[in-house]
Amino acid sequence: MRNEVAPVRHGTMRERNLAVVLGEVTRRQPVSRARLAQVTGFTKTTVSSLVATLKDAGLVKEDGPVRGGERGRPATAVSVNGDRVAGLGLEVNVDYLAACVLDLGRRIRHRHIVAAANQGRDPERVIAALTRLAEQAIAAAADQGLSVAGAVVALPGALDRMRGRLRTAPNLGWSDVAAGELLEAGLPPLPLPADYDNEANLAALGELWFGDGPELGAYVHVSGEIGIGAGIVVDGRVFRGAHGFAGELGHVVVDPGGAPCACGGRGCLEQVAGQEAILRAAGIADATATSPASPDGPLSALVALLERGDERALTAVRRAGESLGQALAAAVNLLDPDTIVLGGVFSTLAPWARPAAEAALAGGAGVVRGSPPRMTVSRLGGDAAALGAAALVVERVLGDPGKLLTVARPTAAPAP
Amino acid sequence: MRNEVAPVRHGTMRERNLAVVLGEVTRRQPVSRARLAQVTGFTKTTVSSLVATLKDAGLVKEDGPVRGGERGRPATAVSVNGDRVAGLGLEVNVDYLAACVLDLGRRIRHRHIVAAANQGRDPERVIAALTRLAEQAIAAAADQGLSVAGAVVALPGALDRMRGRLRTAPNLGWSDVAAGELLEAGLPPLPLPADYDNEANLAALGELWFGDGPELGAYVHVSGEIGIGAGIVVDGRVFRGAHGFAGELGHVVVDPGGAPCACGGRGCLEQVAGQEAILRAAGIADATATSPASPDGPLSALVALLERGDERALTAVRRAGESLGQALAAAVNLLDPDTIVLGGVFSTLAPWARPAAEAALAGGAGVVRGSPPRMTVSRLGGDAAALGAAALVVERVLGDPGKLLTVARPTAAPAP
DNA sequence: CTCAATTTGTACATGACCTGGACTAATTAA
DNA sequence: TTAATTAGTCCAGGTCATGTACAAATTGAG
């Protein structure tokens, strides 16, 4: 009914205050303790104490005194310590596995994508391969003096987030796979509990931290692959709906009385703008057989046709763009985003699909808002979800450093 | 970017803990201090202290010792004090003004609806009338020993929530009206700052506290009047989107190539299922001229036809229901609610419109979810928004009692 | 070159608030 | 009547932010 509120004790208070200070440090680094006291409203004493704790935990560092040219004692600059703690992002997708290590400064410290035809393959084998990738990533982090605080795993399908149980992954042909258990069994325990989320949601978050960032405001990130999903991000948080199925853009009806869809409806967006549908309409056969040999899958063939000006391909893609715009218009009316980000296949096809999509969107997007939202194209590559996953770990550490204090102290060294 | 976190000091800690205890009291009342200590995890000492503070503020009361039949010292029951503090809800609508006073137990202590043809009327006059209504409500509350903690105002249109500035209210024919300023100028200042919100959002919240309540889960509340809006509620909070325009269900396209709409699109839901459109299709003329004389407006004529089995009316309403179901299918795919609540005119027309709506919804609602969400009909009357507004004030008091402590102490009586 | 002004960061006493154990109060079961 | 049991308060103790010095490190003026 109402938001549950947890009791606050002294420890909780300190944890939140650590987060407040760390937040200001990330925002303003390098920054002096005195300035932190100003902006947070804490006394200098309190800030000093909080910074000391954060420094002990390896989350911030002192950069030595900086003479500011003004008079008075020079400040010692405090900034985020990117050399101790890192986040791990993992991704399972139809044609690749990916791992990514990000330090607290969101610099990529390790990134590994391996092509793999996972469709229909034994889930245990695939997760075992992912586990090896994770081990390598953790080792690579350790080589750089980084200890991995936690991991987030991107999975392509509907899942139980807490336990990492994949309920169905239509494109993989999997159902009810205990991906989380399998993964964690083969991995050393990390300070923060592992988390699992839909690939589309994490790709959307990746856009927040590696794409146009805060400029996006509230946004809808369209991640079309085989299916078409949308990640809805408001206030830096993913909107999931009641059961985590929000953003099913692919099954919004754009053509009542159109082709029947597996979902039971007719004329779903996926039937017109899904990767297979586009390839079929463009006259490219056997869209299903994804060959990991060709880097972009069957899409590269389509792009070649488009670049050559093939009329049939152009029409197919324009048609897809138009339908996408129609579905997005519904999304805009219901969700009122600032921005639409085209990701997945649509970022590749954007040069040809976007004009039609924008026109259709403008034609049906709300009376009160005034103008339709901006439409941008994702510049992130294929492993956007792995990137977003790793960044989410970093975000959790920065957003609640207290969680690490009890466990952390990276490689350990007893105090003298 | 990340959620801003405010510094926590000792005072903040206590405020939150007061809210924790008050929350458990509302949930479990009547309840002993000892039990509160168990469920909150506080020590008995702390609970006693917090309860004492809440009692001083008039938010909870002791009901005297209750012998529970078990052995040991009998507990003194603590429960919410409904006789001291109240919330005020106000509503401006096209054909009426409403005020509603709710005590902390969410009992209605005063309710006043006056018919008024506000369409096109001078905003200042209308707000002046509302101010009088509010004054009467505050006086009526005082007569019952209640002091009004704050007010929330429901307005029909797009607005600046903080300042109560109505940007456009198409159905009233108003634009850029400083409703908040006008209202607050004529009213004594209240302990909590006034807040303003869209009528549809507040009606949706009313459903939470006076309708089926927590059973609803995440839900979409359709409030069709002249236009068709939807209030989206997740976790007890309204989802507003980036600019507060989320839930514009009326402009979701259900018939591409259909009748042109004022919003620039074609075949918007409002063109088929808006009140005017239904009346026109049912053959009832002059839908616009709302006569405040007939209690339900022109809708009663339609209902009469429907009850008589008029084929044209039945078809019109079924058609509207079907289109509504289609638009809702898009909403379900994008928002993943547990429940759809039909409110506004649709609650009146539900007996005839609902089957078609449910069928259309089932036909297009998502592949992964499995089943479409439940559909229920609002049992709240016309002033749902005023009710929801008042309940929102109550909710704020219960959710953050600390805000009142500094100011409250109702009619005052110096301690001996 | 020296001293006042200025700013940074720390030390120490103070105060707010939660905790924990002891203690009193009020019952029921034996 | 007594032991057991449960409710609620009292008081000492601990944690953490606050506020007032105060030492440290620099710039600018005379």
Side-chain angles (χ1 to χ4, degrees), chain B residues 16-393:
Chain B
R16 296 249 51 82
N17 289 342
L18 286 167
V20 169
V21 167
L22 185 52
E24 291 300 333
V25 172
T26 53
R27 231 185 306 281
R28 300 166 194 271
Q29 63 183 311
V31 60
S32 71
R33 290 170 170 78
R35 179 115 187 81
L36 286 171
Q38 275 179 28
V39 297
T40 58
F42 289 125
T43 58
K44 288 186 294 176
T45 312
T46 305
V47 169
S48 280
S49 157
L50 292 166
V51 167
T53 305
L54 292 171
K55 202 179 141 194
D56 283 355
L59 299 175
V60 303
K61 62 180 197 291
E62 280 185 5
D63 289 331
V66 262
R67 258 173 293 267
E70 290 165 14
R71 85 174 147 186
R73 173 177 165 178
T76 54
V78 175
S79 53
V80 171
N81 185 349
D83 296 319
R84 295 285 285 279
V85 177
L88 171 61
L90 298 170
E91 180 179 0
V92 178
N93 218 317
V94 179
D95 40 19
Y96 63 90
L97 298 175
C100 173
V101 173
L102 233 54
D103 67 25
L104 281 198
R106 292 209 197 86
R107 280 185 301 271
I108 298 173
R109 293 301 195 99
H110 173 84
R111 190 182 202 173
H112 196 175
I113 311 178
V114 287
N118 294 324
Q119 190 164 24
R121 211 167 133 213
D122 177 20
E124 300 203 9
R125 302 271 288 276
V126 174
I127 300 297
L130 185 70
T131 308
R132 278 194 298 279
L133 224 58
E135 278 167 350
Q136 288 165 22
I138 292 172
D143 283 349
Q144 300 174 64
L146 293 166
S147 76
V148 171
V152 167
V153 187
L155 296 168
L159 48 90
D160 177 347
R161 286 183 60 220
M162 279 299 102
R163 308 197 296 162
R165 201 171 189 90
L166 199 48
R167 283 202 275 259
T168 51
N171 302 334
L172 286 171
W174 293 3
S175 70
D176 205 36
V177 174
E181 279 174 35
L182 290 172
L183 181 69
E184 288 179 64
L187 236 46
L190 299 174
L192 298 180
D195 194 9
Y196 305 83
D197 203 348
N198 190 293
E199 169 223 3
N201 288 338
L202 290 169
L205 282 176
E207 202 60 36
L208 185 61
W209 295 304
F210 294 97
D212 286 327
E215 278 177 46
L216 295 170
Y219 64 94
V220 171
H221 178 269
V222 182
S223 62
E225 305 285 343
I226 313 293
I228 300 178
I232 301 159
V233 180
V234 180
D235 275 338
R237 296 169 50 84
V238 174
F239 178 88
R240 293 196 165 77
H243 320 92
F245 300 144
E248 277 287 336
L249 195 66
H251 296 283
V252 170
V253 176
V254 291
D255 179 18
C261 174
C263 79
R266 287 187 157 275
C268 293
L269 177 63
E270 252 173 52
Q271 297 301 314
V272 187
Q275 178 171 312
E276 290 183 38
I278 296 178
L279 292 172
R280 212 181 306 119
I284 299 175
D286 201 15
T288 340
T290 310
S291 71
S294 74
D296 287 325
L299 216 57
S300 50
L302 176 59
V303 171
L305 283 179
L306 290 167
E307 283 174 342
R308 213 178 304 142
D310 181 278
E311 204 48 58
R312 192 171 168 195
L314 285 170
T315 310
V317 171
R318 275 198 218 106
R319 174 87 204 288
E322 192 188 338
S323 300
L324 177 63
Q326 281 174 37
L328 282 173
V332 169
N333 278 315
L334 292 165
L335 300 166
D336 181 30
D338 283 301
T339 316
I340 305 282
V341 182
L342 298 183
V345 298
F346 294 112
S347 69
T348 313
L349 300 179
W352 302 278
R354 182 174 165 178
E358 279 189 310
L361 176 58
V367 56
V368 207
R369 293 182 105 258
S371 57
R374 268 169 300 149
M375 186 181 281
T376 66
V377 177
S378 173
R379 280 175 276 109
L380 268 61
D383 61 342
L387 226 56
L392 187 53
V393 177

Side-chain angles (χ1 to χ4, degrees), chain A residues 8-10 32-34 44-45 48 71-77:
Chain A
V8 180
R9 30 269 302 208
H10 289 124
S32 71
R33 291 171 170 77
K44 288 184 294 176
T45 312
S48 279
R71 90 173 145 185
R73 173 176 165 179
T76 54

Side-chain angles (χ1 to χ4, degrees), chain A residues 123-147:
Chain A
E124 299 203 9
R125 302 272 290 277
V126 174
I127 300 297
L130 184 70
T131 309
R132 278 193 299 279
L133 224 59
E135 277 167 350
Q136 288 166 22
I138 292 172
D143 283 350
Q144 300 174 66
L146 293 166
S147 75

Side-chain angles (χ1 to χ4, degrees), chain A residues 20-25 28 31-43 47 51 78:
Chain A
V20 169
V21 168
L22 185 52
E24 291 301 334
V25 172
R28 300 166 193 272
V31 60
S32 71
R33 291 171 170 77
R35 178 115 187 82
L36 285 171
Q38 275 179 30
V39 296
T40 58
F42 290 125
T43 58
V47 169
V51 167
V78 175

